[in-house]
Amino acid sequence: MALFELHQGTSPVILAFPHTGTDVPADIRERLNDNGRILADTDWHIERLYDGLLPNVTTVRATFHRYVIDANRDPAGVSLYPGQNTTGLVPETDFDGKPIWKDGEAPTEADIAYRLANFHAPYHAALAAEIERVKAIHGVAILYDCHSIRSLIPFLFEGRLPDFNVGTDMGRTCAKEIETATFEACAKAEGYTSILNGRFKGGWTTRHYGKPETGVHAIQMELAQVSHLSTEAPPFDLDEEKAARLRIHLKDILQRIEALASTLTR
């Protein structure tokens, strides 16, 4: 199977989609239990939410599911959030803490090494190449990492997650102007809630690539799925009316950060 989908554009903005893929090779799917085969922790329909919002944007989308290997985790297996519940490079449980593998079928160290080399690494090689290509055109590249998650997951966080969760690793991964423009757009979105560097401060992708001093800026957007799904349970259908309202604000965000690109090279 194709490991990723790539669309090359000329905008200074790059959209990354590490968690929308639902492809699971047959030999791996056979090892998942009934709970794992639901693929509940997918970032459902996010690529559809952003489709067409910004002309000439570059997109890099992993097609494999995060249960194969998580493209937004440190390849060394280092936790993004030490001391807090989370899932690893190859998850052993879902976001509710429930096992996803059949007894005795959890991935081995050899499995993980294989998946790193054959899934994780090719996706990031493609993403890194696009960052360098876009930076060569504009002198700057802005990586916007696209995510979504259920709004209620007691295993991971207390209470209901805000609709817009902006992550910049406490301002380390992008210029202040990008952080401010993004969060201001979220904060003014009527009927939505938002937070900056709350429970989600930016995953490995954002932290790894976001080096403003080199001209590469990265920011993560984690959307609560209640903002665009009919229900946060199977079959996880997209609510077209909710999506249409949300797309207005996502477009505003992307246009704001794209407009800033030319100011970041001065």
Side-chain angles (χ1 to χ4, degrees), residues 3-213:
L3 300 178
F4 55 85
E5 295 174 351
L6 171 63
H7 172 76
Q8 291 185 326
T10 56
S11 168
V13 178
I14 301 165
L15 303 183
F17 300 90
H19 291 155
T20 63
T22 56
D23 290 345
V24 181
D27 60 324
I28 297 177
R29 181 177 291 275
E30 177 59 31
R31 296 167 66 175
L32 290 168
N33 62 23
D34 288 343
N35 179 51
R37 293 182 186 184
I38 296 171
L39 306 182
D41 300 331
T42 307
D43 290 15
W44 298 103
H45 310 297
I46 293 299
E47 72 277 19
R48 293 175 61 187
L49 279 181
Y50 286 95
D51 185 40
L53 294 184
L54 195 64
N56 300 315
V57 72
T58 293
T59 62
V60 186
R61 186 180 86 89
T63 59
F64 54 91
H65 194 264
R66 68 191 305 158
Y67 291 170
V68 176
I69 193 165
D70 193 325
N72 196 36
R73 293 292 184 272
D74 190 328
V78 177
S79 176
L80 291 171
Y81 299 100
Q84 299 183 59
N85 287 338
T86 187
T87 53
L89 182 60
V90 176
E92 296 182 4
T93 71
D94 64 12
F95 287 163
D96 295 312
K98 298 176 181 178
I100 59 174
W101 303 99
K102 293 177 180 177
D103 290 344
E105 294 290 348
T108 64
E109 290 299 317
D111 292 328
I112 295 171
Y114 176 85
R115 297 180 199 182
L116 269 173
N118 292 279
F119 293 88
H120 192 286
Y123 168 77
H124 280 285
L127 183 56
E130 290 309 302
I131 290 171
E132 288 305 308
R133 183 184 66 84
V134 167
K135 183 182 171 186
I137 296 171
H138 298 280
V140 64
I142 303 175
L143 176 61
Y144 180 101
D145 205 30
C146 308
H147 294 266
S148 76
I149 193 169
R150 286 177 284 142
S151 61
L152 296 169
I153 309 180
F155 182 70
L156 296 184
F157 50 81
E158 296 181 359
R160 183 188 182 282
L161 196 69
D163 299 307
F164 294 104
N165 298 266
V166 181
T168 65
D169 195 24
M170 308 307 291
R172 297 182 182 92
T173 64
C174 68
K176 184 66 175 178
E177 296 94 323
I178 295 174
E179 180 185 83
T180 299
T182 302
F183 190 63
E184 283 183 349
C186 296
K188 79 176 186 66
E190 187 174 351
Y192 296 90
T193 55
S194 57
I195 192 169
L196 174 62
N197 290 314
R199 174 61 178 86
F200 297 100
K201 297 176 174 63
W204 184 76
T205 300
T206 302
R207 302 184 200 189
H208 177 69
Y209 294 106
K211 297 179 173 59
E213 67 278 7

